[in-house]
Amino acid sequence: MNSAEEYIAKIIFRNHILIFNGQQFEDFFVSIMTKSNSSFYPVKAYGNIGDEKNDGFDPTTGTYYQSFAPEDLSKDQTQYDAVKKLKTDFKGLYESWNDFIPIKHYYFVMNDKYKGLPPHIHKAIIELNKEYVDVSISAFIAKDLENIFDSLDWSAKLEIIGFIPNEIYPVVEIDALNETLSHLMKVEIDEPIPDSLIVPDFDEKIVFNGLSDIVKNRLVTGSLQGNILEQYFNANPGVRAILQKKFNALYVQAKNDIPDNQEHFADSRFYYILEKACSKNTIPIQSSVFVLMAYYFSSCDIFEEPTIRKEKAYDIAKKTISFI
């Protein structure tokens, strides 16, 4: 592990927090807890009995966890649902499990996406603590899960987040490009995108978007295989335009899910697109996606076109219209 890999691992982890909801977040939470605590046992739902309000527990300490990961916690209805779930799930857990292994600690695991919890949930936790004085009841949010992830060794982190891409990629395989295309065909597009008026300077665009040298090196390396991509596009008419729309749609999704005020937001969006565009976490597939991202980065279909060049393009268009 080097500093660049550690940096990328942190970004991928935080992207998962921002993206994962529902069962996907619960599975992510369980994978981290299982790696960090050999005494932690996940509980899977079965038939009519479900999981009896228990997503996982540590019988040696009497610690229990129940997760709730809505898509948008800011909505009033979602907050109401969260408070209701907190109270009903804990009471259900207490009735089902306390006689077997007394509950000493209970964590209501919520994916707050680093935004913090609304006051209603904090108040509900305080009320439960007053009612059940023999149990310590607390919220468990994104920063708590990140602290546990940070404490893991490198091999455990890799098992959770997957392969960390190297700066040196093998030659792109056509089979990998075909599989990537098939995967990206499933990406939904909200609306068509306009063609870019002008191709920007590569380095200028890197700086303008605030991308790190780590991402720059990966884009530069990917761009070196552009000739293979051109051959692929020439042999598969129409694919270039389809992928243009798909990658632009992924960039729009990344902007919506990762706000500008988040730390390392530009690099986070880069790895967001990478993960969404990969059908699976293998070197050939990641290599194909890196080359595609470098291509569509150069043509301004992902990330922002430098403002100065936009203004120049606008001036050129105005002069052309006036001349006509």
Side-chain angles (χ1 to χ4, degrees), residues 276-296:
K276 290 278 191 177
C278 287
S279 58
K280 55 190 176 187
N281 208 8
T282 64
I283 293 176
I285 293 297
Q286 283 205 353
S287 297
S288 70
V289 174
F290 271 123
V291 172
L292 287 166
M293 287 181 69
Y295 180 88
Y296 289 106

Side-chain angles (χ1 to χ4, degrees), residues 9-28:
K10 176 75 80 172
I11 282 179
I12 293 174
F13 171 87
R14 290 180 176 175
N15 278 355
H16 286 173
I17 291 293
L18 294 173
I19 298 167
F20 288 175
N21 303 309
Q23 188 63 49
Q24 195 175 25
F25 173 78
E26 182 184 329
D27 292 343
F28 184 55

Side-chain angles (χ1 to χ4, degrees), residues 69-82:
E71 186 172 339
D72 186 358
L73 190 55
S74 66
K75 295 180 179 178
D76 291 341
Q77 182 61 47
T78 306
Q79 294 175 23
Y80 170 81
D81 292 341

Side-chain angles (χ1 to χ4, degrees), residues 306-323:
T307 305
I308 295 175
R309 299 188 72 86
K310 284 183 177 179
E311 291 171 352
K312 286 181 180 178
Y314 177 73
D315 289 342
I316 291 171
K318 271 184 67 177
K319 288 177 183 178
T320 302
I321 294 170
S322 298
F323 178 76

Side-chain angles (χ1 to χ4, degrees), residues 92-308:
L93 174 79
Y94 198 88
E95 292 172 2
S96 298
W97 290 88
N98 193 60
D99 289 341
F100 293 93
I101 300 175
I103 303 169
K104 300 299 183 184
H105 309 279
Y106 175 74
Y107 290 101
F108 189 54
V109 182
M110 297 196 66
N111 185 3
D112 66 329
K113 302 183 187 297
Y114 298 107
K115 295 178 180 178
L117 298 181
H120 322 308
I121 297 174
H122 288 294
K123 290 179 180 179
I125 290 172
I126 293 170
E127 289 174 359
L128 279 176
N129 272 299
K130 290 179 179 179
E131 184 177 353
Y132 294 86
V133 294
D134 55 335
V135 182
S136 172
I137 302 170
S138 304
F140 186 102
I141 56 179
K143 69 177 181 63
D144 300 312
L145 190 59
E146 182 172 339
N147 287 337
I148 294 177
F149 177 78
D150 288 343
S151 70
L152 299 176
D153 62 34
W154 183 240
S155 61
K157 288 180 179 179
L158 283 182
E159 288 187 45
I160 292 168
I161 63 173
F163 168 73
I164 298 292
N166 198 299
E167 290 183 24
I168 302 174
Y169 320 123
V171 174
V172 173
E173 300 174 7
I174 299 303
D175 286 345
L177 278 172
N178 286 331
E179 184 173 338
T180 298
L181 173 63
S182 177
H183 172 70
L184 286 170
M185 289 297 291
K186 301 171 186 175
V187 174
E188 296 181 1
I189 299 175
D190 292 331
E191 57 185 39
I193 59 169
D195 292 331
S196 181
L197 291 172
I198 189 167
V199 177
D201 175 78
F202 199 89
D203 288 337
E204 181 186 356
K205 187 177 177 184
I206 291 279
V207 173
F208 181 81
N209 281 277
L211 293 162
S212 68
D213 287 341
I214 294 171
V215 170
K216 175 182 177 180
N217 292 338
R218 282 155 175 74
L219 285 169
V220 169
T221 303
S223 68
L224 297 178
Q225 298 193 52
N227 61 321
I228 297 176
L229 203 54
E230 286 293 347
Q231 293 173 18
Y232 181 79
F233 287 154
N234 291 337
N236 297 273
V239 168
R240 188 195 317 259
I242 292 172
L243 290 177
Q244 177 196 28
K245 292 180 173 61
K246 299 296 183 178
F247 274 100
N248 183 266
L250 287 176
Y251 178 61
V252 171
Q253 287 179 16
K255 287 178 65 178
N256 289 337
D257 286 342
I258 301 172
D260 290 349
N261 60 359
Q262 180 182 312
E263 185 180 18
H264 310 302
F265 71 90
D267 285 1
S268 296
R269 289 171 182 171
F270 176 88
Y271 284 100
Y272 177 106
I273 297 170
L274 173 68
E275 184 167 353
K276 290 278 191 177
C278 287
S279 58
K280 55 190 176 187
N281 208 8
T282 64
I283 293 176
I285 293 297
Q286 283 205 353
S287 297
S288 70
V289 174
F290 271 123
V291 172
L292 287 166
M293 287 181 69
Y295 180 88
Y296 289 106
F297 179 86
S298 297
S299 59
C300 256
D301 297 304
I302 58 174
F303 289 92
E304 305 302 317
E305 183 180 338
T307 305
I308 295 175

